């Protein structure tokens, strides 16, 4: 693996990016609630170490029923999920280097290859954030580019663990992620500190967009991985950790997230259906509504919505509160 930039060159690039990056002030559109596109935002996640086979089977049933994008599990359950989800259109994501991120490149590579050979098509890889904080940018880039080349057809997401990083390190991690042609940069493991925040998501999205513009659509390198298609050009943002309700999802998507990692997917869809039917009820009584779901713009978000269920009314399942 060739050195793309030296650490001082990375530092200069990161500084340039920090100066040039402009966080969006208008919200990104949110798919209508209850639409297939809304459900497809969600990686339905169960990562607790003592998850049982029965819980994992329940997770798969829920994902199939709701039409989520994926189930996100640890390596030991990948094969079971792949088998469970055959023909469902729900893919299997596996976490790598979870959750500390400090495993070396060989361990991460072996884990990644094992997950892929078990049938995972998406890998959520934890960055070595202590190394990121120490400024070992070239070393991190080499790790990411190696993983990218090794897993050329997989959807790769890089977990930054943003709760542990000041904004300049979030810029640096996002830049390294986009430079290595990862598909997503992701906020959090859900196991360390706070989860996703609006400010972090906005910043990550802005860096991804800036990098895509500067890259001009070409393959910037990154070893032998041929990331030349338009879809590969812009790294997307996955928000995760602490997203427990439909309004959390809406806020994150408006801030720029295009995927949501959550262990509360079932509850979120229940809330989405309840919000939608309340809107339909009001709209048939008072005329067309202008909020989320009719315009897809997320207007009305955060306007004093009262939760539509108490916590006690959560449907029994593997989703709520498990990780
Ligand atoms: O990537 C997903 C996170 O582990 C989920 O976190 P959560 O349990 O707070 O939703």
């Amino acid at each position: 693996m060739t050195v793309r930039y030296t650490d001082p060159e990375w530092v200069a690039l990161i500084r340039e990016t920090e100066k040039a990056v402009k966080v969006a002030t208008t919200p990104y559109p949110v798919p209508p609630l209850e639409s297939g596109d809304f459900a497809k935002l969600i990686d339905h996640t169960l990562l607790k170490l003592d998850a049982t086979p029965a819980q994992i089977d329940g997770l798969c049933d829920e994902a199939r029923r709701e039409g989520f994008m994926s189930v996100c599990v640890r390596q030991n359950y990948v094969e079971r999920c792949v088998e469970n989800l055959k023909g469902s259109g729900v893919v299997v994501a596996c976490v790598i280097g979870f959750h500390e991120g400090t495993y070396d490149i060989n361990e991460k590579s072996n884990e990644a290859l094992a997950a892929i050979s078990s049938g995972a098509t998406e890998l959520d890889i934890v960055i070595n954030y202590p190394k990121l904080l120490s400024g070992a940018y070239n070393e991190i880039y080499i790790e990411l580019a190696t993983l990218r080349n090794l897993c050329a057809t997989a959807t790769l997401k890089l977990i930054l663990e943003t709760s542990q990083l000041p904004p300049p390190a979030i810029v640096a991690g996002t830049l390294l992620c986009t430079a290595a042609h990862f598909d997503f940069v992701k906020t959090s493991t859900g196991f360390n500190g706070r989860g996703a925040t609006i400010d972090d998501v906005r910043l990550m999205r802005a860096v991804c967009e800036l990098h895509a513009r500067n890259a001009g659509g070409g393959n910037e390198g990154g070893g032998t991985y041929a990331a030349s298609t338009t879809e590969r050009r812009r790294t997307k943002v996955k928000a995760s950790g602490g997203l427990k309700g439909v309004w959390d999802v809406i806020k994150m998507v408006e801030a720029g997230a295009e995927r949501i990692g959550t262990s509360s997917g079932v509850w979120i869809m229940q809330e989405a259906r309840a919000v939608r039917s309340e809107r339909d009820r009001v709209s048939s009584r008072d005329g067309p509504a202008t909020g989320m779901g009719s315009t897809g713009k997320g207007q009305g978000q955060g306007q004093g919505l009262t939760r539509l269920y108490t916590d006690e009314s959560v449907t029994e399942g593997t989703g709520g509160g498990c990780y």
Side-chain angles (χ1 to χ4, degrees), residues 2 9 22 81 87 239 286 289:
T2 51
E9 285 168 336
K22 281 195 178 52
C81 292
D286 301 342

Side-chain angles (χ1 to χ4, degrees), residues 145-194:
T146 302
L147 289 162
R148 180 70 279 181
N149 286 326
L150 211 54
C151 313
T153 58
T155 295
L156 296 190
K157 306 172 205 143
L158 184 68
I159 307 174
L160 298 186
E161 201 68 293
T162 46
S163 66
Q164 305 304 304
L165 306 175
I170 293 175
V171 170
T174 306
L175 189 64
L176 289 160
C177 178
T178 59
H181 299 294
F182 271 47
D183 301 277
F184 285 86
V185 60
K186 169 174 169 181
T187 59
S188 321
T189 61
F191 285 80
N192 196 352
R194 60 169 167 71

Side-chain angles (χ1 to χ4, degrees), residues 43 45 47 72 95 98 124 159 186 188-191 238 240-244 261-264 321-323:
D43 287 344
T45 302
L47 297 170
C72 183
V95 290
F98 204 83
D124 290 37
I159 307 174
K186 169 174 169 181
S188 321
T189 61
F191 285 80
K238 174 174 170 181
S240 57
L243 306 177
K244 302 294 181 202
T262 179
S263 56
S264 304
C322 297
Y323 54 82

Side-chain angles (χ1 to χ4, degrees), residues 58-133:
L59 186 84
C60 292
D61 290 347
E62 290 162 356
R64 184 191 283 268
R65 191 182 68 226
E66 299 288 359
F68 291 141
M69 182 66 204
S70 78
V71 294
C72 183
V73 296
R74 290 180 187 261
Q75 165 71 43
N76 54 323
Y77 282 128
V78 169
E79 265 179 31
R80 188 177 188 98
C81 292
V82 169
E83 190 56 37
N84 253 324
L85 290 167
K86 269 188 188 144
S88 68
V90 180
V91 300
V92 178
C94 180
V95 290
I96 305 294
F98 204 83
H99 67 276
E100 301 85 348
T102 48
Y103 306 88
D104 71 26
I105 189 169
N106 293 323
E107 287 170 297
K108 283 184 178 170
S109 299
N110 290 338
E111 271 188 57
L113 289 176
I116 287 171
S117 77
S118 299
T121 55
E122 305 205 345
L123 304 179
D124 290 37
I125 302 166
V126 188
I127 197 171
N128 191 327
Y129 50 86
K131 273 207 174 127
L132 180 69
L133 285 166

